[in-house]
Amino acid sequence: AQKITQTQPGMFVQEKEAVTLDCTYDTSDQSYGLFWYKQPSSGEMIFLIYQGSYDEQNATEGRYSLNFQKARKSANLVISASQLGDSAMYFCAMREAYGGSQGNLIFGKGTKLSVKP
Amino acid sequence: EAQVTQNPRYLITVTGKKLTVTCSQNMNHEYMSWYRQDPGLGLRQIYYSMNVEVTDKGDVPEGYKVSRKEKRNFPLILESPSPNQTSLYFCASSLSGFNDEAFFGQGTRLTVV
């Protein structure tokens, strides 16, 4: 079974609007971390935001926020006021403290976001 | 500057010709790993290392070798590359906690003909 599921292969958003990228995860660990990375067309992987399983508040980093719903096992990325430079692939990832993944960072298949002018 | 350095960035090679992709980090991270990225499949882990001389297989280890003789270096070796190893490869390093982000190299785009 997939540990990280991103159900939106591609999305479009109008410039200056907000967009939500979905991510659900599967783990039986109590301790885990959730990460979002951005991959622009140039190819590099850019860390955006982190949410810990024990964090009670949703993480925020500038225009990025993470809508963390622990009971539903979802960790959606919200980008506010989209910019043309936000067009990229976005990957959700998880790291378990004790699970069978040995602390590895497990990725979803990604969502390609396109921002329209 | 804290960074993970991969070389080369681009490589075209022929089937069966051994090659090595180097990876070096300057952050004293214990944990290093290699991923390959293919369209529609996301990033899949090839091998990882939790410390010097400690390596283990990831999800897609066939056709690859690694070594971790020094903490900072984690080369990826393809002893006999085949066309199905054409991919984008990333090296990553991190501290070992579940709340530690991974730092990625710039990527190596490998084509095997």
Side-chain angles (χ1 to χ4, degrees):
Chain A
Q2 283 188 69
K3 289 223 170 192
I4 297 287
T5 303
Q6 294 180 254
T7 56
Q8 307 150 313
M11 286 192 71
F12 288 91
V13 65
Q14 201 67 40
E15 193 178 8
K16 299 180 186 168
E17 292 185 351
V19 63
T20 298
L21 306 184
D22 294 341
C23 173
T24 58
Y25 59 93
D26 182 25
T27 181
S28 55
D29 265 14
Q30 296 301 308
S31 303
Y32 53 90
L34 297 156
F35 304 81
W36 278 91
Y37 285 83
K38 172 184 179 181
Q39 186 181 42
S41 58
S42 50
E44 71 268 31
M45 295 289 287
I46 302 167
F47 167 72
L48 293 178
I49 196 167
Y50 161 80
Q51 179 85 41
S53 57
Y54 297 113
D55 295 340
E56 295 185 353
Q57 304 255 4
N58 285 342
T60 60
E61 289 286 348
R63 294 186 299 111
Y64 304 108
S65 60
L66 203 152
N67 184 359
F68 181 46
Q69 298 186 48
K70 193 169 181 177
R72 296 181 60 187
K73 294 189 175 176
S74 76
N76 298 339
L77 177 70
V78 181
I79 306 174
S80 63
S82 298
Q83 301 172 356
L84 295 178
D86 293 334
S87 294
M89 280 291 286
Y90 289 82
F91 291 98
C92 179
M94 176 177 67
R95 202 166 184 186
E96 298 165 305
Y98 306 110
S101 60
Q102 300 289 325
N104 294 332
L105 195 58
I106 306 162
F107 284 86
K109 295 185 178 181
T111 295
K112 184 171 182 178
L113 178 67
S114 300
V115 181
K116 298 186 288 186
Chain B
E1 180 191 352
Q3 59 185 2
V4 178
T5 304
Q6 272 180 249
N7 280 297
R9 293 288 310 276
Y10 301 92
L11 179 60
I12 301 174
T13 190
V14 296
T15 299
K17 186 177 181 182
K18 181 179 178 179
L19 66 92
T20 300
V21 185
T22 63
C23 175
S24 181
Q25 50 95 3
N26 63 1
M27 295 167 279
N28 203 35
H29 286 162
E30 303 95 9
Y31 195 94
M32 296 186 75
S33 56
W34 277 101
Y35 294 87
R36 62 177 287 173
Q37 183 182 4
D38 302 290
L41 297 178
L43 280 82
R44 295 179 293 167
Q45 193 178 56
I46 303 169
Y47 269 95
Y48 64 96
S49 169
M50 297 181 118
N51 216 323
V52 176
E53 302 292 1
V54 181
T55 63
D56 210 344
K57 296 176 181 178
D59 298 319
V60 288
E62 293 78 22
Y64 305 95
K65 283 176 58 178
V66 293
S67 68
R68 187 96 181 269
K69 294 187 170 63
E70 307 164 282
K71 199 171 188 179
R72 63 183 293 126
N73 295 324
F74 190 45
L76 179 70
I77 302 156
L78 285 72
E79 295 261 356
S80 183
S82 62
N84 64 13
Q85 293 179 297
T86 293
S87 188
L88 177 59
Y89 291 87
F90 286 101
C91 177
S93 77
S94 70
L95 297 171
S96 54
F98 68 89
N99 54 354
D100 294 312
E101 72 179 89
F103 293 80
F104 283 81
Q106 314 96 305
T108 296
R109 191 166 290 282
L110 172 66
T111 302
V112 183
V113 298

